Amino acid sequence: MDSGLSSLGGGGGGGSGGGSSTNESVTTVSKVEVVEQMSTEASSYPGEAELELGLGLSLGTGGGGGGLVKPKQPSSAWGEYGRILTAKDFPSVLSNASSTTPRFSNSSAGPVSGTKRAADSAVSQEVGSATAASQVVGWPPIRAYRMNSLVNQAKALAAEDDKADSENDKFKDTLKKKPYTGSNKNNSTVKEKGHLGFVKVNMDGLPIGRKVDLDAHACYETLAQTLEDMFFRHNTTMPPIRSDVEKGQSTNPSKLLDGSSEFVLTYEDKDGDWMLVGDVPWGMFLSTVKRLRIMRTSEANGLGM
Amino acid sequence: MGYSFPEEVLEHVLSFIDSDSDRNSVSLVCKSWHDIERWCRRRLFVGNCYAVSPAIAIRRFPELRSVSLKGKPHFADFNLVPHEWGGYAYPWIAAFAEAYPWLEELRLKRMVVSDEALELIAKKFKNFRVLVMYSCEGFSTDGLATIAANCRNLKELDLSESEVDDVSENWLCQFPDSYTSLESLNITSLSSEIRFSGLERLVGRCPNLKTLKLSHSVPLDLLPNLLQKAPQLVELGSGLHTKEVHPDLYSKLAGAFSGCKGLKRLCGLWDVVPSYLPTLYPICFGLTSLNLSDAPIQCPELIKLVSQCQNLQRLWVLDYIEDTGLNALAESCKDLRELRVFPSDPFGQEPNVSLTEQGLVSVSAGCPKLHSVLYFCRRMSNVALSTIARNRPNLTRFRLCIIERFCPDYITLEPLDVGFGAIVEHCKDLKRLSLSGLLTDRVFEYIGSHGKKLEMLSLAFAGDSDLGLHHVLSGCKSLRKLEIRDCPFGDKALLENAAKLETMRSLWMSACQVSYRACKLLGQKMPRLNVEVIAEQGHPDLSPDEYPVEKLYIYRTVSGPRSDMPSFVWTMDKNPALRSS
């Protein structure tokens, strides 16, 4: 067996406990690889002989049991019936995809379908795990919404981890026991905080919100200008707003930031608190902002103190 | 016989019979009973929307008020069914719009529902009351807005786990001010914000609101207001998260929860912070159902919470509860009927919590009414399974998922055949079973001989040969649904037991070894089955016939092959000779 495959994930499946010497290398196979348990009765079918042969070639351990049906020890189950997929069965692994990985037992059909499968644009499912290897589709059997919930929990924890000195000691204790989702090792989770992309912006009095791309800005001024353009100047489908808001004066400094407008710009941070935009350094703002709200100044009293 | 039983009397008698199977039995007595029964049946359950056509259903039952439909196979939950497979609700709803203007209830599961379908519901059914869309997709909040605006008598709107396209935030505001009949609202799956003021007003003016399940986006500081406006709530789903502990908010919440004297079911609690958990303590004693499977609460807090829920009947929780938490559960919650333990880190290489088979053994020993189990863990032993079986012969649903595939008994390193064998042997009323771990054909021998009441069986990475499948198909008399993935089952067992397939609702097999030839043969020989081959990698005609198909879905039907299949699904011809003409 190709021990190089263990780099695909490490950790054995059922055979890992079995100590049978002839199949030891099988036991180090990653949990990603597909061990296929072939039908021992298959050899009795006409035409199945070809299948058997195809299997035998790829097994490397002498093929099936030749029609015997007996309860299997873990090691022999693997050794006689396992086929370990080789790297060509796994096209390059991409992240954050939600669908299929290569077919498993179809590989029994021989090299042709193996090639077909390799051409398939299979991608792996990565749910914040430390292992970058492709994983079996739909295993463990967890529903999509629950996976999302776990991912959200992991993200929240990654954000918590980055708070160097967490004020809440109790929370720190719970953190230690949090899932080992690789949040400390998985760079993409850390990166996510800096690449927020679009956040929602709502304005008091307007039913429809907008979205703004925070990545497109490097400072508060440009962000505020963009928002003023969006809400006060350019959107003619919005219901009319109070006349004392400035219109069409793009050369002026942002009214939203300097407190001279009827509205102020606020944001919700990841703790759920609403803060005035502009109080913290831009980088820190980016790492903590969840969404924005253009609030009436009268309602904004007491914010961000 | 010179008299006939007056129809009106029989109708009145039948009005007390709700169970579908009983009504089906009634309609087999004689022609006149069949006729009377069909005219007075009000509820219809269609377990597979392709097993019968809308026209046939309407023709038989002209006066329905309530219909439940299920679409995609169960394995769609785990991404095994390709996206465009089918399960469209529109044709049904369109047909009902013509036939049942008085339709009141629609319950859809795993179906594709478009905004157009929702619009039909909103406009065509004048007395529409209940819309449940469980794990559905294909619609947006625009569709919901139409429902809200038009369904004056809506009692229940439940979007559990459905994927909703959030395009408008204020669809809730479409409920007119005069609308006060809401009793149950579940919008957990909505990801974006809703207009909170709209929500508050809605809750405030609906005095019969019993179930309120909100989404992540409802902020915590809104919750006390909502609870105060709806102290009659029986079921609540809400978050409990805020990073900083505001003393005011805390006491408001605690007060609001105390005011909800009838609260029996609680779920949600995403991102809950331990310091807010005590606000729940006053209601714990009254809780019968607690779903903490989205809550990252650790063992000590879980124990504190659960120990106070002496009337708990159902608990869904993450494996943070650990064995010690389950011991506490076994001691405190003697009325427990259902336990589900989900993994907090399903893809981690190492266990992150100390949850083993011992936790389940404790609960099986301590909770005499426990009958339904779903348990994710990382190790199991035959002796533990046998103990559980002996402790709890009243189990009706047993779903065990050992996260590592092919995982043997961790003590003896043997397959887990004997353990699961004990389960089916002792639990004579077992209706649903899901297997995992290292399993040979022997476990199927046990299942075939003992699983006489088994209705649904889920298999993955199990078995050695066709004998396994043969044991199941020939032995399990009550089997209705069989779903199999990655097992070495092939043509022989399937073809030998072809007749069995007509007694079942459906069979799913993916990544097994059923050849294309066998599928074609089955399609020809069994005209009352739809044998659907799913092949995303190209038409199976392009490979030799003996190559296995990727995925196979076989179901009985009285409507023939369906016409809405995507390009990668083929129904095997029932009359291949005609095809060439």
Side-chain angles (χ1 to χ4, degrees):
Chain A
M1 310 310 129
D2 182 8
S3 63
L5 277 180
S6 52
S7 66
L8 276 177
S16 55
S20 171
S21 56
T22 54
N23 298 297
E24 224 151 9
S25 51
V26 176
T27 69
T28 62
V29 162
S30 80
K31 69 182 171 190
V32 171
E33 55 82 44
V34 176
V35 173
E36 187 186 320
Q37 298 181 325
M38 278 305 296
S39 163
T40 54
E41 295 193 326
S43 54
S44 61
Y45 299 164
E48 288 290 328
E50 285 157 14
L51 250 74
E52 273 293 294
L53 274 180
L55 259 189
L57 283 175
S58 42
L59 271 179
T61 56
L68 290 175
V69 182
K70 57 183 191 290
K72 301 290 177 295
Q73 296 308 309
S75 51
S76 60
W78 282 51
E80 288 180 16
Y81 307 116
R83 178 181 106 90
I84 298 167
L85 295 181
T86 56
K88 73 169 160 60
D89 291 307
F90 290 93
S92 61
V93 165
L94 302 176
S95 66
N96 282 340
S98 63
S99 58
T100 60
T101 57
R103 208 60 325 97
F104 298 133
S105 61
N106 275 1
S107 58
S108 70
V112 173
S113 61
T115 314
K116 268 205 293 191
R117 203 168 37 263
D120 188 26
S121 58
V123 291
S124 77
Q125 196 171 5
E126 183 177 313
V127 192
S129 169
T131 66
S134 56
Q135 292 167 351
V136 181
V137 176
W139 192 266
I142 298 173
R143 306 202 39 211
Y145 82 92
R146 189 170 296 286
M147 301 267 233
N148 291 340
S149 175
L150 292 177
V151 169
N152 288 335
Q153 280 183 32
K155 280 189 193 169
L157 291 168
E160 292 298 340
D161 282 349
D162 284 339
K163 270 193 170 177
D165 299 294
S166 175
E167 315 88 335
N168 195 341
D169 280 351
K170 235 199 293 185
F171 216 63
K172 231 179 171 179
D173 287 331
T174 63
L175 277 180
K176 290 197 191 107
K177 272 198 187 172
K178 290 296 189 189
Y180 178 69
T181 56
S183 55
N184 294 323
K185 299 189 178 182
N186 189 340
N187 287 331
S188 67
T189 319
V190 171
K191 272 194 224 136
E192 265 156 15
K193 290 177 10 272
H195 293 263
L196 287 164
F198 287 84
V199 296
K200 294 191 78 167
V201 191
N202 285 83
M203 177 163 146
D204 284 354
L206 299 181
I208 315 283
R210 304 287 301 269
K211 281 192 169 173
V212 65
D213 183 359
L214 287 183
D215 285 344
H217 297 277
C219 65
Y220 287 117
E221 277 65 35
T222 56
L223 174 64
Q225 286 288 349
T226 303
L227 292 177
E228 284 168 14
D229 287 346
M230 241 189 235
F231 285 93
F232 299 143
R233 288 178 250 273
H234 292 167
N235 195 332
T236 55
T237 64
M238 294 275 187
I241 47 184
R242 299 269 292 272
S243 57
D244 51 0
V245 174
E246 303 286 340
K247 291 194 186 70
Q249 296 175 21
S250 47
T251 52
N252 286 2
S254 165
K255 303 284 183 195
L256 280 178
L257 289 182
D258 67 9
S260 61
S261 153
E262 189 205 348
F263 291 87
V264 290
L265 184 58
T266 64
Y267 70 99
E268 186 186 19
D269 68 7
K270 59 181 188 243
D271 300 332
D273 302 320
W274 287 93
M275 319 283 277
L276 273 180
V277 165
D279 282 350
V280 300
W282 174 255
M284 196 183 296
F285 166 74
L286 277 191
S287 72
T288 188
V289 60
K290 272 184 9 189
R291 55 190 168 130
L292 298 166
R293 180 171 157 204
I294 301 174
M295 205 183 279
R296 289 183 210 281
T297 313
S298 51
E299 284 193 37
N301 286 332
L303 274 190
M305 293 199 294
Chain B
M1 279 194 298
Y3 65 92
S4 59
F5 204 65
E7 278 186 24
E8 298 82 10
V9 177
L10 185 59
E11 259 192 59
H12 184 68
V13 170
L14 290 184
S15 68
F16 295 102
I17 301 182
D18 278 331
S19 133
D20 282 340
S21 57
D22 286 344
R23 279 198 164 249
N24 292 345
S25 305
V26 161
S27 45
L28 291 176
V29 168
C30 63
K31 269 193 176 168
S32 89
W33 279 41
H34 185 278
D35 213 35
I36 293 168
E37 193 282 318
R38 62 182 265 268
W39 277 96
C40 69
R41 191 177 306 209
R42 298 282 175 264
R43 320 182 72 90
L44 180 66
F45 169 77
V46 179
N48 173 7
C49 65
Y50 292 120
V52 63
S53 69
I56 294 177
I58 291 169
R59 194 169 65 223
R60 176 156 176 203
F61 299 116
E63 298 275 335
L64 293 180
R65 296 277 184 275
S66 161
V67 180
S68 301
L69 293 172
K70 293 190 183 179
K72 300 187 200 178
H74 172 239
F75 272 178
D77 285 354
F78 314 126
N79 293 332
L80 290 177
V81 178
H83 198 244
E84 305 279 308
W85 176 85
Y88 302 105
Y90 188 86
W92 285 89
I93 296 174
F96 290 161
E98 296 305 314
Y100 304 130
W102 297 110
L103 190 72
E104 294 176 8
E105 304 181 356
L106 264 181
R107 293 180 171 83
L108 308 172
K109 184 168 181 178
R110 276 187 222 107
M111 296 196 78
V112 178
V113 186
S114 59
D115 281 346
E116 288 72 30
L118 290 180
E119 205 178 320
L120 269 187
I121 295 174
K123 305 266 171 75
K124 297 285 193 173
F125 303 122
K126 299 299 172 202
N127 200 24
F128 198 72
R129 292 172 186 264
V130 172
L131 180 60
V132 176
M133 291 190 284
Y134 182 88
S135 197
C136 295
E137 55 174 346
F139 61 99
S140 76
T141 44
D142 283 349
L144 296 177
T146 323
I147 297 275
N150 291 285
C151 298
R152 296 295 146 95
N153 295 317
L154 194 70
K155 282 192 324 190
E156 183 176 340
L157 179 61
D158 184 343
L159 309 176
S160 300
E161 300 172 30
S162 292
E163 270 183 50
V164 186
D165 199 8
D166 272 322
V167 297
S168 52
E169 291 169 3
N170 61 340
W171 65 272
L172 261 187
C173 299
Q174 298 299 315
F175 283 112
D177 289 339
S178 55
Y179 168 74
T180 58
S181 43
L182 193 64
E183 293 180 20
S184 170
L185 182 66
N186 179 343
I187 50 172
T188 321
S189 56
L190 288 178
S191 48
S192 77
E193 297 171 28
I194 46 175
R195 292 286 281 180
F196 302 128
S197 53
L199 178 63
E200 248 191 276
R201 285 199 311 274
L202 182 63
V203 168
R205 66 177 187 267
C206 295
N208 295 319
L209 189 67
K210 294 284 190 302
T211 296
L212 183 62
K213 289 171 151 181
L214 305 167
S215 61
H216 283 92
S217 55
V218 177
L220 185 60
D221 47 8
L222 189 66
L223 189 56
N225 295 354
L226 289 175
L227 292 178
Q228 270 147 20
K229 290 189 155 68
Q232 75 282 2
L233 276 182
V234 171
E235 181 166 12
L236 174 68
S238 169
L240 258 192
H241 170 251
T242 182
K243 184 56 177 48
E244 291 169 30
V245 181
H246 301 284
D248 279 348
L249 182 53
Y250 183 98
S251 54
K252 274 175 76 178
L253 251 188
F257 273 123
S258 310
C260 292
K261 307 239 181 276
L263 204 54
K264 288 200 173 346
R265 300 189 285 274
L266 186 63
C267 63
L269 303 182
W270 322 272
D271 307 335
V272 67
V273 169
S275 32
Y276 271 86
L277 282 175
T279 56
L280 296 174
Y281 291 169
I283 54 162
C284 283
F285 187 75
L287 287 182
T288 57
S289 165
L290 187 53
N291 181 351
L292 301 172
S293 59
D294 294 307
I297 310 175
Q298 299 296 313
C299 185
E301 283 76 35
L302 278 174
I303 292 181
K304 274 191 226 150
L305 195 58
V306 153
S307 314
Q308 299 185 59
C309 301
Q310 288 94 351
N311 289 310
L312 205 59
Q313 296 178 14
R314 177 168 67 182
L315 177 66
W316 292 23
V317 72
L318 286 171
D319 55 10
Y320 294 135
I321 196 167
E322 300 190 337
D323 288 343
T324 41
L326 290 175
N327 290 341
L329 180 70
E331 275 176 46
S332 313
C333 304
K334 293 303 183 188
D335 208 22
L336 194 71
R337 327 247 165 132
E338 177 181 333
L339 174 66
R340 296 197 190 191
V341 179
F342 297 96
S344 54
D345 183 23
F347 301 107
Q349 293 177 45
E350 301 297 324
N352 59 316
V353 291
S354 174
L355 178 107
T356 69
E357 80 286 2
Q358 288 312 314
L360 186 56
V361 172
S362 302
V363 179
S364 74
C367 301
K369 298 196 191 163
L370 183 72
H371 71 85
S372 173
V373 170
L374 169 60
Y375 199 75
F376 281 80
C377 60
R378 287 176 187 269
R379 73 176 201 203
M380 186 50 66
S381 65
N382 283 312
V383 66
L385 282 171
S386 303
T387 309
I388 292 166
R390 276 167 236 269
N391 285 343
R392 290 278 61 78
N394 51 325
L395 284 176
T396 57
R397 288 170 180 79
F398 189 73
R399 297 157 71 185
L400 181 69
C401 180
I402 305 168
I403 291 177
E404 286 281 343
R405 296 172 298 146
F406 311 111
C407 196
D409 178 323
Y410 77 97
I411 302 173
T412 65
L413 302 178
E414 309 238 303
L416 289 169
D417 301 335
V418 168
F420 279 108
I423 295 276
V424 287
E425 190 186 337
H426 292 274
C427 306
K428 304 213 183 299
D429 290 323
L430 197 68
K431 289 202 307 200
R432 183 166 180 183
L433 179 63
S434 301
L435 307 180
S436 58
L438 184 67
L439 297 162
T440 73
D441 284 346
R442 173 143 295 167
V443 72
F444 299 117
E445 215 182 307
Y446 295 137
I447 292 175
S449 26
H450 295 287
K452 296 306 179 189
K453 300 252 184 95
L454 201 59
E455 295 180 11
M456 182 167 177
L457 181 61
S458 308
L459 310 176
F461 306 103
D464 308 312
S465 74
D466 264 10
L467 206 52
L469 181 58
H470 175 71
H471 284 311
V472 170
L473 289 177
S474 57
C476 297
K477 300 267 168 280
S478 311
L479 198 62
R480 292 190 299 120
K481 288 181 279 183
L482 180 57
E483 46 185 25
I484 305 174
R485 63 162 298 179
D486 294 90
C487 294
F489 301 147
D491 300 348
K492 201 157 177 225
L494 201 57
L495 294 173
E496 263 180 37
N497 293 282
K500 169 77 174 173
L501 299 176
E502 273 190 16
T503 70
M504 293 165 51
R505 182 191 295 173
S506 65
L507 166 64
W508 169 277
M509 291 178 78
S510 56
C512 296
Q513 282 132 39
V514 180
S515 71
Y516 183 46
R517 183 182 49 234
C519 295
K520 287 195 283 188
L521 193 60
L522 207 54
Q524 284 169 38
K525 297 284 185 211
M526 312 291 300
R528 283 183 302 216
L529 295 179
N530 276 354
V531 178
E532 290 187 9
V533 169
I534 299 173
E536 290 173 280
Q537 298 176 23
H539 200 294
D541 277 343
L542 302 174
S543 320
D545 272 5
E546 58 265 22
Y547 276 25
V549 298
E550 291 168 32
K551 298 174 181 174
L552 177 60
Y553 187 51
I554 303 175
Y555 55 91
R556 66 181 175 188
T557 179
V558 293
S559 299
R562 58 185 175 116
S563 53
D564 59 1
M565 291 177 299
S567 58
F568 48 83
V569 178
W570 293 272
T571 305
M572 298 296 98
D573 269 326
K574 304 188 194 273
N575 291 304
L578 294 177
R579 179 161 51 109
S580 51
S581 59

